[in-house]
């Protein structure tokens, strides 16, 4: 057995070699099985029930598998066998892996996954029944994945990772603004799902603890990396699309887009900020920070300020999770090894020839043998497969590099945009610093002046130092020269001493010569003969000695001359030395002065420098103080601005609340029993409805202006207040009008009025919320007011069935008849007054004269009123008819004409009745109460005539003022008639004086009972008369309604 083991160790990968021989024809199937088995292992490792984050190497294997098979069939075949509906953690990790496949997998993954959309929807609905934990998160994540698949199916130009250039984004809309509009809405929905998952994960974690370092926290936070990558692209594309839409469409059309974007911007900015602070994300991804404020889409130039957010994923380190995943094909060597000859021979010796060909005799058992051609085919197939895998790896590497380069390009573009933004900020700061530079300019000029003075001092000091140095050099040269002169003088003295010594030697020689001459002379004298022989020699010697003597004398003379000259030069040197000593003393003195002056200037320089440093420090402190004051001013301005905004909003809220109280009060008056007796006309109700509709339009315009610019709150407050008053007036007038119409129409009108009040309260309730102010809708309130207006139009009287000419003639006839009736009444009163003077005497004549005089004054006032009304009507017709005739004007304004005719009739009838009542009173047959009632009826009729006349009149008309003055005269005359009637009645009626002196207690009790019975009878009669009066008024209203067409309208509606 040991020999067999050792032999097997010498043959590498013998078993795979035999296995490959058995399935040569099915190599592709084996490869497919190996691939599916490896994918199943990676999927099961990535998607499990352990609450830990998905390992990157397993997810990467699944992604490479989709690129290998160009789809997701293997992935879904493995996933469908997992119990995703029974384990929330398993479903959560499935969503994470599936999200990675949708982003980085093969493009066909989205198409292959759409067939499982229904299952994912059911699973999301099932997990949605849980309110917390992974169940709720799985429901939100599945909705996000479904939305992502639908988005990419609708927009196939967008890749799974959403990376597109600006040109590709333009091509995605196909130059159609409708496509861009719809694409923006779909991106909003897509980003909304991403933000919901973001918020769901954060709300499920306890952010007070370091959850990002725990395995459970990382399991929940890991999918947010894919969400951050998607959100950064969606935000960038949404901003660019909105700028493009604002360049093509009006701003009002895109108000909803802007509101939705601002809401998502706030959420995304907050979530990015919270994510960037988590320790788990800091080592895996670099999260961008959004700007402080959202882009201003109403300003096209703001697009250049937009910086695309770039998410940077650091390069993966050599961690255990990023190690290369060893495939199954790498574990099993399927290549045919080429054995050395020695190994084959040794194997043959051990197992025989057949064993060397087939060691385990598997092919012999199956009756199969593989020839060289099959081996060659297998080898070529393996090489092709290896080349394919290498090519695919190259493609993936190139795509990864391209992606990294695109990210780097985007990062550089972002940096460039940021640099441009910083440049703009620097320009702004430079402009801001100009003011500070202007403030520091004076200090700088003063500093320059001081520096110039300091420079002058320094130059003077340098000049002085130069002079001092020059003098020092000159002194040094003179000193050297003096030293040379002293040295020369010493040399001359040494030479003089030597000459003196030579002279002494010469003198000694001369003395010696004299002695020798004397000795020679003696010798000559003594030996003249010997001297003769030696005379020539001695003469020659003598001549030589003489020559030497002469030369010695010459040399002595020259030495004397030299000594004299040296004495003269020594004297000159002494003089020069004295001069130099005096100059040195002067120079030392001047140098001392210069040094003292230099010390003084140095002290002054130090003082100037210290003062300059102090001024610089004070300037810096002043600049810092000014900057602090500026910052405080800006903070105060911001605080005041916020207070102003709050005050504006509080004033608006006060106006809205006041309008609500007014409308609620009007609604409460509908059910008030005291309001039942109030009545109104359909014409007045229609005018109130129309005024409310106009005010509602003004309210809409003021609200739009306030949203665009919050400073225009005053106009909105006025509009809210006026709208509240007008709507409340419409509600009250509508309820009062319902008291005068039949029951069915009254119920319908009451219902419309209540609906109007409810819609008005709902609209005001929406306006109380600042977030919903832009989304308030007044269409329902407008529809309710239009319904009331339509009902009022139906309730208006249809008017007389007259032709245009007849209607105009009838106006003239009625006005003429009224004038005639008034004049006739005045004449009759004058006649009755004359008759009373002839017949009556005493108090009765006095009472009759007073009553008839007041009636005469009333008739004169009525006559003046009728004449003023005619003049005013003439002005109204002339100003309003234009090119039409007077009769056409009356026919065009038939309702007003009919009111005028009715008022004229009432005035004429009242005058006639009053004259009859006055006649009966004068004759003693009538009642004073009848006269008072007639006078009051005339006052009411004249008031109706005045109201009908001034409906269409100009408020500045002179005739209108005359008519109003005449109306006041009629009112005063009516009061005079009533007062004179009451006074006459009190004078004529006798008042019995009651005498109880002769009555007993029983009689008084009896009369008391009779009086009580009479009081009860009178009260009963009074109650019956009041009921009769109510019935008469009701009947009068019914007859008036029939005359004005109410009955026909009721039949038409029935």
């Amino acid at each position: 057995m040991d020999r067999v083991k050792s032999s097997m160790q010498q043959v590498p990968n013998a078993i795979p070699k035999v296995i490959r021989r058995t399935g040569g024809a099915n190599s592709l199937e084996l490869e497919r099985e190996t691939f599916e088995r490896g994918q199943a292992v990676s999927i099961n490792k990535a998607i499990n029930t352990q609450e830990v984050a998905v390992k990157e190497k397993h997810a990467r294997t699944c992604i490479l598998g989709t690129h290998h098979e160009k789809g997701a069939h293997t992935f879904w075949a493995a996933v469908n066998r997992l119990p995703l509906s029974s384990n929330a953690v398993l479903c959560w990790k499935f969503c994470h892996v599936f999200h990675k496949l949708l982003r980085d997998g093969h493009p066909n993954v989205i198409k292959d996954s759409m067939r499982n959309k229904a299952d994912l929807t059911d699973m999301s609905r099932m997990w949605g029944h849980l309110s917390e934990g992974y169940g709720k998160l799985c429901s939100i994540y599945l909705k996000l994945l479904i939305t992502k698949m639908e988005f990419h199916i609708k927009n196939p130009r967008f890749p799974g990772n959403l990376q597109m250039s600006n040109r590709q984004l333009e091509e995605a809309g196909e130059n159609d603004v409708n496509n861009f509009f719809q694409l923006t809405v779909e991106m909003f929905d897509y980003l909304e799902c991403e933000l919901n998952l973001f918020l769901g994960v954060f709300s499920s974690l306890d952010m007070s603890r370091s959850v990002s370092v725990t395995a459970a926290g990382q399991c929940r936070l890991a999918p947010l990396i894919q969400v951050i990558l998607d959100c950064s692209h969606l935000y960038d594309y949404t901003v660019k699309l909105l700028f493009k839409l604002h360049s093509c469409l009006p701003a009002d059309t895109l108000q909803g887009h802007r509101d939705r974007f601002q809401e998502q911007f706030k959420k995304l900015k907050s979530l990015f900020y919270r994510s960037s602070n988590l320790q788990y994300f800091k080592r895996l991804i670099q999260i961008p920070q959004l700007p402080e404020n959202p882009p201003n889409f109403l300003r096209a130039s703001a697009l250049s300020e937009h910086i695309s957010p770039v998410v940077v994923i650091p390069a993966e380190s050599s961690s255990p999770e990023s190690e290369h995943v060893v495939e199954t094909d790498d574990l099993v060597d399927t290549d045919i090894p080429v054995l050395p000859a020695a190994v084959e021979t040794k194997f043959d010796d051990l197992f025989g020839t057949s064993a060397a060909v087939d060691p385990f005799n598997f092919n012999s058992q199956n009756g199969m043998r593989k020839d060289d051609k099959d081996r060659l085919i297998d080898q070529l197939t393996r090489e092709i497969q290896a080349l394919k895998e290498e090519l695919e790896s190259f493609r993936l590497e190139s795509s990864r590099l391209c992606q990294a380069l695109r990210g780097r390009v985007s990062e550089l573009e972002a940096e460039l945009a940021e640099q441009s933004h910083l440049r703009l900020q620097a320009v702004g700061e430079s402009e801001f610093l100009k003011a500070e530079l202007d403030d520091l300019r004076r200090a700088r000029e003063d500093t320059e002046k001081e520096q110039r003075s300091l420079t002058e001092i320094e130059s003077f000091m340098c000049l002085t130092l130069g002079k001092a140095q020059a003098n020092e050099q000159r002194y040094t040269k003179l000193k050297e020269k003096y030293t040379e002169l002293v040295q020369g003088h010493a040399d001359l003295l040494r030479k003089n001493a030597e000459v003196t010594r030579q002279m002494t030697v010469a003198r000694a020689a001369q003395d010696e010569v004299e002695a020798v001459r004397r000795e020679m002379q003696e010798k000559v004298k003594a030996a003249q003969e010997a001297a003769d022989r030696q005379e020539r020699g001695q003469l020659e010697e003598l001549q030589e000695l003489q020559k030497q003597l002469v030369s010695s004398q010459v040399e002595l003379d020259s030495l004397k001359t030299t000594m004299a000259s040296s004495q003269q030069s020594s004297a000159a040197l002494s003089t020069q030395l004295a001069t130099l000593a005096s100059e040195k003393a002067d120079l030392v003195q001047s140098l001392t002065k210069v040094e003292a002056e230099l010390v003084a200037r140095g002290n002054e320089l130090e003082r100037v420098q210290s003062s300059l440093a102090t001024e610089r420090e004070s300037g810096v402190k002043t600049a810092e103080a000014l900057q602090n004051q500026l910052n405080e001013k800006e903070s105060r301005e911001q605080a005041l601005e916020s207070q102003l905004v709050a005050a504006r909003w509080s004033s608006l809220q006060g106006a809205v609340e006041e309008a609500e109280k007014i409308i609620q009060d009007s609604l409460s008056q509908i059910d008030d029993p005291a309001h039942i007796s109030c009545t109104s006309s359909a014409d007045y109700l229609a005018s109130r409805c129309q005024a409310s509709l106009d005010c509602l339009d003004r309210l809409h315009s003021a609200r739009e202006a306030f949203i665009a610019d919050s400073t225009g709150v005053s106009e909105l407050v006025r509009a809210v207040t006026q709208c509240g008053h007008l709507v409340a007036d419409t509600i009250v007038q509508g309820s009062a009008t319902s008291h005068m119409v039949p029951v069915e129409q009254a119920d319908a009108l009451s219902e419309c009025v209540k609906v109007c009040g409810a819609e008005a309260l709902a609209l005001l309730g929406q306006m109380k919320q600042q977030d919903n102010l832009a989304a308030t809708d007044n269409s329902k309130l407008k529809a309710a007011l239009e319904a009331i207006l339509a009902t009022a139009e139906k309730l208006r009287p249809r008017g007389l069935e007259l032709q245009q000419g007849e209607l105009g003639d009838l106006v003239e006839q009625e006005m003429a008849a009224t004038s005639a009736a008034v004049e006739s009444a005045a004449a009759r009163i004058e006649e009755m007054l004359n008759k009373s003077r002839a017949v009556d005497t005493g108090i009765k004549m006095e009472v009759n004269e007073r009553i008839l005089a007041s009636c005469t004054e009333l008739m004169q006032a009525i006559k003046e009123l009728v004449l003023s009304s005619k003049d005013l009507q003439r002005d109204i017709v002339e100003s309003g008819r234009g090119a039409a005739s007077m009769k056409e004007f009356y026919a065009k304004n038939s309702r007003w004409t009919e009111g005028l005719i009715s008022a004229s009739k009432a005035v004429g009838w009242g005058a006639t009745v009053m004259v009859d009542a006055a006649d009966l009173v004068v004759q003693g047959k009538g009642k004073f109460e009848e006269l008072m009632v007639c006078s009051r009826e005339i006052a009411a009729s004249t008031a109706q005539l005045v109201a009908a006349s001034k409906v269409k009149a100009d408020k500045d008309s002179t005739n209108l003022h005359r008519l109003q003055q005449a109306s006041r005269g009629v009112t005063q005359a009516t009061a005079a008639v009533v007062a004179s009637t009451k006074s006459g009645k009190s004078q004529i009626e006798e008042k019995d004086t009651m005498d109880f002196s002769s009555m007993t207690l029983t009689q008084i009790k009896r009369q008391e009972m009779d009086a009580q019975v009479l009081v009860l009878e009178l009260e009963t009669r009074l109650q019956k008369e009041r009921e009769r009066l109510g019935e008469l008024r009701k009947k009068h209203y019914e007859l008036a309604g029939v005359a004005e067409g109410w009955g026909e309208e009721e039949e038409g509606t029935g």
Side-chain angles (χ1 to χ4, degrees), residues 140-141 143-145 147-148 187-199 227 231 260 264:
I140 298 173
Y141 207 164
K143 290 179 182 178
L144 168 61
L145 296 176
T147 303
K148 182 176 180 67
M187 284 190 177
F188 279 144
D189 297 338
Y190 192 175
L191 185 57
E192 188 71 27
C193 294
E194 302 274 4
L195 295 176
N196 290 336
L197 180 60
F198 229 133
L199 292 172
V227 175
C231 288
R260 193 171 183 186
Q264 293 184 353

Side-chain angles (χ1 to χ4, degrees), residues 374-570:
D374 294 333
R375 286 195 300 273
L376 182 60
I377 291 173
D378 293 339
Q379 184 178 359
L380 293 175
T381 304
R382 285 191 299 273
E383 291 178 357
I384 291 171
Q385 186 63 31
L387 291 174
K388 286 182 179 179
E389 293 177 355
E390 186 176 0
L391 179 60
E392 189 66 26
S393 64
F394 285 160
R395 287 179 181 175
L396 292 176
E397 184 67 20
S398 62
S399 63
R400 188 182 65 80
L401 290 175
C402 290
Q403 184 177 359
L405 290 175
R406 289 194 190 98
R408 181 58 180 168
V409 169
S410 302
E411 184 179 358
L412 291 176
E413 290 177 353
E415 291 180 359
L416 180 60
E418 185 177 1
Q419 292 296 329
S420 62
H421 182 64
L422 292 175
R423 182 179 61 79
L424 295 176
Q425 288 183 350
V427 171
E429 291 178 357
S430 63
E431 293 178 355
F432 174 75
L433 292 175
K434 283 182 180 178
E436 295 184 359
L437 291 176
D438 294 335
D439 295 334
L440 296 176
R441 187 171 295 168
R442 295 179 180 178
R444 180 182 176 182
E445 291 177 356
D446 297 337
T447 305
E448 289 179 354
K449 290 180 180 179
E450 293 177 357
Q451 288 180 354
R452 284 196 296 270
S453 63
L454 181 62
T455 304
E456 292 176 357
I457 292 171
E458 290 179 351
S459 61
F460 179 75
M461 291 176 64
C462 292
L463 182 62
T464 306
L465 289 174
K467 290 181 179 180
Q469 291 177 357
N471 292 330
E472 185 68 23
Q473 291 176 359
R474 183 179 178 186
Y475 172 73
T476 303
K477 291 180 180 179
L478 290 174
K479 186 177 180 181
E480 292 176 354
K481 189 173 181 181
Y482 174 73
T483 303
E484 292 177 357
L485 291 174
V486 170
Q487 187 68 25
H489 179 66
D491 294 338
L492 290 175
L493 290 176
R494 285 194 296 270
K495 290 180 180 180
N496 189 12
E498 186 177 359
V499 169
T500 303
R501 183 177 58 78
Q502 290 177 1
M503 289 177 65
T504 303
V505 172
R507 287 175 183 172
Q510 186 176 6
D511 293 337
E512 186 177 359
V513 168
E514 287 292 336
V516 171
R517 189 181 63 177
R518 285 192 299 273
E519 185 178 0
M520 288 302 290
Q521 286 177 359
E522 290 175 359
K523 287 180 178 181
V524 169
K525 289 177 179 179
Q528 196 172 16
E529 295 178 353
D532 290 334
R533 292 190 293 273
Q534 294 180 353
E535 185 176 358
R536 294 182 181 177
Q538 289 177 354
L539 286 174
E540 291 177 359
E541 290 179 1
L542 181 63
Q543 288 178 357
E544 291 179 359
L545 288 174
Q546 286 178 354
K547 290 180 181 178
Q548 291 179 357
L549 180 62
V550 172
S551 62
S552 297
Q553 288 179 354
V554 172
E555 186 177 0
L556 180 61
D557 293 336
S558 65
L559 287 175
K560 288 181 180 179
T561 304
T562 304
M563 184 176 177
S565 62
S566 63
Q567 288 178 356
Q568 291 177 358
S569 62
S570 177

Side-chain angles (χ1 to χ4, degrees), residues 230-249:
D230 288 343
C231 288
S232 62
H233 293 297
L234 290 175
Y235 167 77
D236 185 28
Y237 300 155
T238 304
V239 171
K240 294 177 181 178
L241 290 177
L242 283 177
F243 273 112
K244 185 171 184 63
L245 288 175
H246 277 79
S247 64
C248 302
L249 297 176

Side-chain angles (χ1 to χ4, degrees), residues 9 37 142 181 190 237 276 281 333 354 437 445 481 495 512 534 554 806 836 892 967 976 1019 1033 1035-1036:
Q9 291 175 358
R37 185 164 56 252
L142 288 170
F181 191 91
Y190 192 175
Y237 300 155
S276 61
F281 289 123
D333 187 7
S354 62
L437 291 176
E445 291 177 356
K481 189 173 181 181
K495 290 180 180 180
E512 186 177 359
Q534 294 180 353
V554 172
E806 296 176 357
S836 175
K892 181 179 179 181
S967 175
E1019 288 179 352
R1033 285 180 176 175
K1035 190 63 177 176
H1036 176 265

Side-chain angles (χ1 to χ4, degrees), residues 113-122 146 149-150:
S113 301
M114 283 301 293
R115 65 190 65 179
N116 297 289
K117 176 185 173 183
D119 297 336
L120 296 177
T121 304
D122 295 339
I146 294 170
M149 290 191 297
E150 292 176 349

Side-chain angles (χ1 to χ4, degrees), residues 943-973:
Q944 182 181 358
L945 180 61
V946 171
S949 299
K950 74 176 185 178
V951 166
K952 293 183 174 295
D954 187 7
K955 63 180 181 179
D956 297 329
S957 175
T958 306
N959 291 325
L960 176 61
H961 295 304
R962 285 180 55 201
L963 179 63
Q964 292 175 346
Q965 187 68 30
S967 175
R968 286 191 288 270
V970 171
T971 303
Q972 294 174 0

